Amino acid sequence: MPEKGTPRTRRRTWLVAALAVTLLAASSVTWFAVARAEEREDRLDANRELVAQGCAGLLREEMYASVPDDARGVLDAYGTLLRPGQESRALLDCTLAWGGGGGAEVDVQARVRAEAVPDRTSPGSVTGDFGLPLPAGATGSVGTADRWGGGAVATAALLVDCPAGLRGRGRTTRDLLVSVDLPSHADDADVNGVPKAERLAVARTAAKVTNWVSRKEGCGSDPLRTEPGAAPAKAPELCAWLSPKGLGSTPGEWSYGGNDRTYNRRAGACGGRWDDTAGSPGHLTVQAADARSWSGVLAAGAYEEYADKALVPDPKAPAAHDEPLTVERSGDDRRLALWARSECVAGPTYHRVSVTPAFDFDFDYGHEDGKVVLEPKDQRRLSRHVRTVLDRYLSAPDGWPKRSHCRGTKIVGEVAEWRGRD
């Protein structure tokens, strides 16, 4: 016969066991949550330490507060300033990355690079709006680029003068190129949507990297400013010479969005275009004109870029305008360019001026629909217009060539973008 109270005892035992299991499960969840929180805190501390110490601390200010805590960072650093005695073309090349499982695709990445430029570099990345005041011997640009795997990065590039030269290179050079990539933290940022504050941050980082490298290398240049401060003095007279007068332009208003506002001895640009709301430019009238110069290491880089597109003078092309040319309709404006070279204050220099004629394919100027014929007289007239642009550019008292003390100018040749090449 069962003892009295046994069911109650078993029930009590079951309740105690259930309670113990519940408490154990709860404590396990709590322990797991605490452990995960501690792991994240450890990763965050490690990542902040990596930002503070890696890349000579050059990324600390912009990256310290925003480093992720869900993945440990990876540092890839080399260059003669970080590892003396190392064989490297770079003075500094340092990347911090997080996420991506160690593969090529990462979630967050920042990079700084500095190198000596021995003979040439592309002007595209270093000529534009930098966002911070620069001396006449430095040129830079800030932009955006697509990040591998989506999103966008803010980019900056600077080309600066080192009067004392850069030590430890195979040949002496005084041109220092610095580039910086920083991730965008804006929601849904794309290549055109990186906020102004992030553009300023990448420009400021590039200036700081430049100052650090210049100090380490003993460049002999003054430190760059790292804050906006007062805007640099504008110099609209740099392009005051550019006018449609005498260029065979249709009467009307012109806009001048391509004009430089401050002088830089490494590069200069002026540009204007017919921009009248009344009517349209007439057939073969000049609807746009521009002038650009690249000096020093930018000269060879610019000429090479145009050469890759077959847009430099061809020594095999006929010089005389003695044959009619047929021009076919195209979606792009095609220019007549004239190249010249000089010796200027920053070194060997290329000048390129151009005029853009308007082609009217809707009337019977050619033999077939969508084509017009340039008679020899039309070609000679356009050549006179582009030469007028060059002469005005070179002789303008406040223009870039005069300010840069250019001398020994020689004509290289014309490039008619509508003329085919074999």
Side-chain angles (χ1 to χ4, degrees), residues 40-61:
R40 297 180 76 92
E41 191 68 27
D42 289 343
R43 281 195 300 266
L44 182 60
D45 290 342
N47 288 341
R48 285 178 172 172
E49 180 69 15
L50 190 65
V51 169
Q53 301 298 326
C55 302
L58 294 169
L59 292 169
R60 175 187 172 90
E61 182 173 348

Side-chain angles (χ1 to χ4, degrees), residues 18 42 52 79 94 121 131 134 268 310 390 400:
D42 289 343
C94 192
T121 190
L134 293 174
L390 179 64
W400 189 92

